[in-house]
Amino acid sequence: MSETAAKPVVLTCAQPTGRLHLGNYLGAVLNWGAMQDDHECYFGIVDQHAITVPTVPADLRNNTYLCLAQYMACGLDPAKSRLFVQSHVIGHTELAWILGCICPLGQLERMTQFKDKSSRQESVGAGLLTYPVLMAADILLYNAAKVPVGEDQKQHLELTRDLAQKFNRTYSETFTIPEPFIAKTGARIMSLQNPAAKMSKSDPHAAATVFITDTPDEIRQKIGSAVTDSGSEVRATADKPGVTNLLQILSACTGKSVPVLEESFAGKGYGDFKRAVTDAIVDTLSPVRERFALYSTDRTELDKVLKLGAEGAQKTAYKTLSKVYRKVGFVERPR
Ligand code: TRP
């Protein structure tokens, strides 16, 4: 245990929202996986966050398993990291309550994501407003030093840092102040049909998004119909956003730099280029798809993984929670 205790703590969480796509994989999950050997990693599936907007119970349950199977297929390893479901660990909502008591209401009302989501909701639950406080609890409960997040979550991480500092000032040094972690190699993958928009699972155009479980045939069709740009040169320039996106995908899949790839396609057309992109994606995703087929059908095994993850996470969570309870002046629970 002492050898893992020295490793910096990494935590990230995701809502169980269905299928992962190539952008999630190349831009995020691949990088999380790469941190597992030299960090103490916590990867949470946040079902308590998911219910801040209306959800269908059966979908939530299925998506939670689906999410776990996909993460494992992408290389998150329950033997190295703690893969857990938020509602399985006592401490997230408990700590969120305490942080909520020191969190200025105005700061929550100013959150971009709250304003955005609440404007699309007929009735707005209090949970949607306090969502970022629960996220702060997710992070601080494990004393995470690095938190891999996308651009859209940076404001929430800023709030987490503010709350940690305020708690430390008010009650004495307790929490590590977390840093956002943006991977150097994190590729920003765009829609195959509109390279000005990020690749998204909810894109209405079916050919815009490659899912990690797509078959080689589906991948071939989607890359075949991906928008390219006028001209025939394979170059990553501002006037070629479609080709640039495909070059970035190829680069992320092969590990070769964009300039090296441009060089290798000099004098060749889009046909050769698209074949190479297709092959690279198929090679990258085939093992992922095969592992997913194995894991997703075995709920017994997935439940075992969740048990292991919850036990690992709970150990750390209890430590932090009892420290926090003591600091705020709660009387110790009689044993
Ligand atoms: N809010 C994040 C999202 O929607 C998910 C999340 C919840 C999270 N808790 C977290 C991300 C803690 C990082 C750390 O993407």
Side-chain angles (χ1 to χ4, degrees):
M1 209 53 211
S2 61
E3 135 215 354
T4 50
K7 295 178 183 176
V9 176
V10 168
L11 172 138
T12 194
C13 301
Q15 295 196 37
T17 50
R19 296 199 288 168
L20 294 181
H21 57 68
L22 189 63
N24 300 133
Y25 181 59
L26 297 177
V29 189
L30 197 57
N31 294 310
W32 306 348
M35 301 177 93
Q36 295 180 108
D37 286 324
D38 43 10
H39 295 82
E40 181 180 327
C41 290
Y42 295 83
F43 300 117
I45 302 174
V46 288
D47 50 357
Q48 290 166 330
H49 276 101
I51 60 166
T52 55
V53 294
T55 33
V56 177
D59 291 349
L60 178 58
R61 192 169 291 119
N62 282 329
N63 283 339
T64 301
Y65 281 115
L66 180 67
C67 189
L68 175 66
Q70 289 180 102
Y71 283 139
M72 287 168 64
C74 289
L76 301 190
D77 181 351
K80 293 179 182 168
S81 304
R82 291 134 204 89
L83 305 183
F84 67 95
V85 169
Q86 186 181 35
S87 64
H88 290 177
V89 181
I90 297 168
H92 291 256
T93 54
E94 284 77 2
L95 181 57
W97 176 260
I98 292 168
L99 297 173
C101 292
I102 60 165
C103 181
L105 184 58
Q107 214 172 337
L108 294 177
E109 286 165 342
R110 283 194 298 277
M111 290 285 141
T112 321
Q113 197 172 75
F114 171 69
K115 288 194 275 187
D116 182 42
K117 284 191 183 175
S118 57
S119 69
R120 285 186 272 138
Q121 224 68 49
E122 236 175 70
S123 95
V124 178
L128 197 60
L129 179 69
T130 55
Y131 176 113
V133 179
L134 181 57
M135 176 163 163
D138 299 338
I139 296 166
L140 301 180
L141 195 55
Y142 302 99
N143 275 299
K146 299 184 199 174
V147 183
V149 281
E151 236 7 88
D152 63 325
Q153 296 298 316
K154 274 207 173 152
Q155 198 183 25
H156 292 163
L157 201 62
E158 219 26 75
L159 175 77
T160 305
R161 292 165 54 88
D162 289 350
L163 293 176
Q165 276 156 350
K166 191 164 178 189
F167 188 97
N168 288 354
R169 266 200 318 274
T170 310
Y171 296 106
S172 85
E173 203 58 31
T174 307
F175 294 122
T176 306
I177 310 301
E179 300 277 349
F181 179 78
I182 313 287
K184 281 185 231 78
T185 51
R188 206 174 129 82
I189 306 300
M190 312 306 281
S191 155
L192 298 175
Q193 292 298 321
N194 170 18
K198 257 174 61 174
M199 185 174 280
S200 157
K201 70 171 167 47
S202 48
D203 198 305
H205 200 308
T209 311
V210 172
F211 290 98
I212 60 165
T213 51
D214 278 351
T215 61
D217 271 344
E218 288 169 315
I219 295 168
R220 194 167 299 114
Q221 276 167 21
K222 288 177 182 179
I223 297 303
S225 68
V227 298
T228 44
D229 311 282
S230 56
S232 59
E233 266 179 285
V234 177
R235 297 198 72 88
T237 50
D239 59 334
K240 288 178 172 265
V243 171
T244 302
N245 187 34
L246 293 177
L247 270 167
Q248 257 146 16
I249 292 173
L250 185 57
S251 170
C253 288
T254 58
K256 292 181 186 161
S257 75
V258 169
V260 165
L261 292 169
E262 285 175 327
E263 184 71 30
S264 71
F265 287 102
K268 294 183 189 158
Y270 289 160
D272 285 333
F273 175 51
K274 280 189 164 181
R275 264 188 294 282
V277 175
T278 302
D279 290 346
I281 298 175
V282 169
D283 285 351
T284 302
L285 292 185
S286 287
V288 175
R289 194 184 61 251
E290 283 157 22
R291 283 195 296 263
F292 176 76
L294 213 69
Y295 299 143
S296 60
T297 49
D298 190 350
R299 289 244 167 139
T300 313
E301 186 57 34
L302 292 176
D303 281 328
K304 269 192 209 155
V305 167
L306 290 181
K307 182 161 189 274
L308 185 71
E311 284 167 356
Q314 188 66 72
K315 238 180 167 170
T316 314
Y318 270 145
K319 265 189 214 154
T320 308
L321 193 65
S322 62
K323 195 165 157 190
V324 167
Y325 274 12
R326 193 161 20 87
K327 296 218 181 189
V328 301
F330 292 171
V331 168
E332 204 182 328
R333 179 186 296 165
R335 289 166 197 271

